[in-house]
Amino acid sequence: MNIEKIFYIIISAILLIVFLLFTFVFSPNEFNSPNKSNVKTIYFVDHISSAHQKVIDLFNERHKSSIKVETINLSFDKFSTNERKELLARYLRSKNSRIDIFAVDQIWVPRFVRWGVPLNNLIDSTEINKIIPNALTTCYYNDSLFAVPLYIDISLMFYRNDLLKKLPNYSQIVDELKNSITWEKFIELHQKLKNEKNPFYVFQADDYEGLLCQFTELMANQNNPIVDKNNKLLINTAEGKKALQLLVDLVNKYGVSPKEVTYLKENESFRYFAKNDGLFLRGWPSMYDDENEFLSDEERSQLKMAPLPHLKDTKPASVYGGWNLMVSKFSEKIPEVIKFAKFLLSEESQKIMYEEGGYLPINKKLYSDSEFIQEHPELKFFDELYKTGVHRPFLEDYTNVSDILSYYINSAIKGDISVDDALKSAEIKIKEKSILVK
């Protein structure tokens, strides 16, 4: 066994111990006390925001004589996305019944189906038909429904309207931004402003999944996926080289983005953008969340949204994100769990999730509800943006593919390796099914 795999096993074991601590120490003490009533307690694992909690409290109040939802909070503040995945996977391998329902990144579904309950016969088709197709697509594996979406996400670009207004051709720039400006024109705009002290474009270029999202978008611009329908790898191609070269050049050739981006994930990029009065930021709709500690109310009020830039003579693309719900096949309370899942899919819950936490709805009706749209006109923007949405590959070993690719893409942006060598090395590692320990 090579040293990389030994480290991987050790780290996974540590993560499992941490998860058990969260389960038994930081979650409610009902695990250790007998339930003397007829109330069935189900345990829900997710990042529990105030919006999540409000929906859960509402469900508990309405079912207080029969069901109680308790939470195991794997907060984004404490765990990275990959750490959450490993914690869940390790725990579910133990076949323990104490987790009933859990949230997964939409790209994890193929990996987690082995521990999930098929939902085709548990959730009525009328409920399923209420879900927007772009979110529902991520819930199937081999034509069987193994998940339902809790919310969807999609990448976009923010800009500081107050800073942009200082430019003489402000109206023209905004018009171009609204229709997805080309990267070529975006770079030209930076050249005109290169003496400005503000960071021009902040994006997330650390060695992690968020960097691969951007590579995926640039590949999609060129109608070249990372893998084809037969799961053949397509990264070491002319399109792959063009996509990676742009990311490298944004930092090292044009100075459009500061070198610091190579160490930034989402939260760090938001902090950097706010602290340094950045002009443009790649992000996600949750950036608008009132709980975002990195933005003042004044800064948030000046943020405007636009589609991401695209390569000239190509089509715009934005990567879908979002989290799905899966039911553990080891759960002993399936009927109660399904009732809770249906409640989370309801218009009422979806409205709360959006208004309280900025989580984009997956219920179709909210995008055609004139009263709700009038209160939240930005939903029209998202509904239009979905037309350019692209999914990351649905592969059982996607996380490992992502780990390898993001490592080499990050190394190329840092200047540690050439574009050609980065893609060649990534291709070899992926085909060898190597494991990178980060």
Side-chain angles (χ1 to χ4, degrees):
M1 185 180 292
N2 64 41
I3 194 166
E4 284 187 346
K5 290 187 178 179
I6 293 173
F7 274 118
Y8 179 77
I9 291 169
I10 292 171
I11 290 171
S12 297
I14 292 171
L15 286 172
L16 178 59
I17 292 169
V18 172
F19 187 75
L20 290 171
L21 285 172
F22 263 74
T23 300
F24 290 98
V25 179
F26 297 105
S27 60
N29 59 13
E30 290 188 37
F31 278 131
N32 301 313
S33 61
N35 191 347
K36 297 180 180 179
S37 71
N38 293 322
V39 176
K40 290 193 175 182
T41 302
I42 60 177
Y43 292 92
F44 174 35
V45 183
D46 198 357
H47 161 77
I48 308 298
S49 69
S50 60
H52 287 74
Q53 195 61 55
K54 186 169 183 177
V55 171
I56 291 165
D57 290 344
L58 184 60
F59 179 86
N60 283 342
E61 176 61 29
R62 292 184 183 173
H63 299 85
K64 57 186 176 184
S65 63
S66 57
I67 308 172
K68 183 177 183 181
V69 177
E70 291 285 5
T71 61
I72 299 172
N73 184 13
L74 296 187
S75 169
F76 286 125
D77 294 332
K78 295 182 175 68
F79 302 100
S80 70
T81 302
N82 277 359
E83 286 170 343
R84 287 181 63 180
K85 174 183 63 65
E86 290 304 323
L87 285 170
L88 277 171
R90 285 277 162 180
Y91 193 83
L92 290 165
R93 283 194 195 104
S94 72
K95 300 182 180 181
N96 199 301
S97 63
R98 284 191 168 129
I99 289 178
D100 297 291
I101 182 170
F102 53 94
V104 295
D105 188 309
Q106 58 177 223
I107 59 170
W108 298 352
V109 172
R111 180 172 181 183
F112 279 80
V113 293
R114 70 191 77 175
W115 303 300
V117 174
L119 302 176
N120 302 67
N121 298 323
L122 295 174
I123 299 181
D124 191 270
S125 59
T126 57
E127 299 281 344
I128 299 302
N129 290 336
K130 294 177 183 177
I131 300 171
I132 56 177
N134 34 343
L136 191 59
T137 300
T138 68
C139 297
Y140 286 92
Y141 184 76
N142 289 341
D143 298 324
S144 290
L145 184 72
F146 275 94
V148 288
L150 177 58
Y151 63 90
I152 194 168
D153 219 345
I154 190 165
S155 57
L156 47 74
M157 186 165 68
F158 292 97
Y159 63 90
R160 279 278 299 272
N161 197 46
D162 54 333
L163 299 178
L164 204 62
K165 273 186 175 178
K166 296 177 181 178
L167 304 181
N169 52 344
Y170 165 77
S171 297
Q172 180 186 340
I173 295 170
V174 169
D175 285 343
E176 290 182 335
L177 290 173
K178 285 180 179 178
N179 294 299
S180 176
I181 192 171
T182 66
W183 279 111
E184 290 80 3
K185 286 190 175 181
F186 192 63
I187 292 168
E188 284 179 15
L189 178 61
H190 167 260
Q191 298 305 315
K192 295 175 183 177
L193 303 172
K194 60 184 178 182
N195 293 325
E196 296 289 330
K197 294 180 180 180
N198 310 72
F200 185 77
Y201 179 61
V202 177
F203 70 104
Q204 303 81 30
D206 199 357
D207 170 14
Y208 84 120
E209 171 64 18
L211 178 55
L212 191 59
C213 288
Q214 293 160 91
F215 183 72
T216 301
E217 287 157 354
L218 291 168
M219 294 288 274
N221 282 166
Q222 305 170 79
N223 199 30
N224 190 117
I226 289 175
V227 296
D228 65 14
K229 61 183 179 181
N230 297 314
N231 291 342
K232 180 184 177 183
L233 202 61
L234 300 175
I235 58 172
N236 191 19
T237 60
E239 292 83 2
K241 292 173 184 177
K242 186 173 183 178
L244 180 50
Q245 191 66 59
L246 176 65
L247 293 174
V248 170
D249 289 346
L250 288 176
V251 175
N252 299 291
K253 181 177 180 180
Y254 303 115
V256 169
S257 301
K259 292 185 182 296
E260 286 85 351
V261 298
T262 57
Y263 299 98
L264 300 181
K265 295 184 176 71
E266 266 81 7
N267 285 349
E268 293 94 336
S269 69
F270 298 166
R271 183 187 296 114
Y272 184 90
F273 176 79
K275 183 179 179 180
N276 295 281
D277 285 327
L279 186 53
F280 294 97
L281 170 70
R282 184 193 187 279
W284 302 89
S286 54
M287 182 72 176
Y288 264 149
D289 187 353
D290 289 341
E291 293 182 5
N292 190 318
E293 62 183 297
F294 308 118
L295 294 171
S296 67
D297 291 341
E298 175 61 25
E299 287 171 329
R300 189 180 290 104
S301 70
Q302 293 297 334
L303 278 186
K304 301 297 180 184
M305 298 180 293
L308 288 163
H310 66 283
L311 293 164
K312 185 180 179 182
D313 299 324
T314 70
K315 60 182 181 179
S318 291
V319 159
Y320 283 122
W323 288 74
N324 295 343
L325 301 169
M326 298 185 73
V327 177
S328 170
K329 71 177 184 181
F330 309 115
S331 173
E332 297 170 352
K333 302 153 191 168
I334 299 294
E336 291 78 16
V337 174
I338 294 300
K339 185 173 286 190
F340 176 56
K342 287 180 178 178
F343 182 74
L344 293 175
L345 296 176
S346 69
E347 289 179 63
E348 181 180 27
S349 294
Q350 289 286 304
K351 282 182 178 180
I352 293 171
M353 291 290 288
Y354 182 65
E355 292 182 330
E356 294 288 325
Y359 298 105
L360 292 179
I362 52 83
N363 191 301
K364 288 179 183 176
K365 290 186 178 180
L366 299 189
Y367 293 91
S368 58
D369 182 333
S370 57
E371 188 173 320
F372 193 65
I373 293 292
Q374 188 171 359
E375 294 175 6
H376 305 285
E378 69 279 1
L379 284 175
K380 291 182 180 178
F381 167 79
F382 295 125
D383 201 22
E384 192 65 26
L385 194 61
Y386 293 155
K387 296 175 183 177
T388 66
V390 294
H391 290 287
R392 289 161 284 172
F394 288 100
L395 304 170
E396 191 168 345
D397 62 344
Y398 173 79
T399 300
N400 199 45
V401 172
S402 173
D403 284 347
I404 292 169
L405 259 176
S406 60
Y407 170 79
Y408 283 104
I409 293 171
N410 172 264
S411 296
I413 298 173
K414 285 180 176 177
D416 296 337
I417 190 171
S418 71
V419 167
D420 285 356
D421 287 345
L423 294 176
K424 286 177 186 176
S425 298
E427 184 177 52
I428 292 169
K429 289 284 188 182
I430 291 170
K431 288 181 176 178
E432 290 177 347
K433 298 188 182 297
S434 299
I435 296 174
L436 287 183
V437 179
K438 301 184 179 183

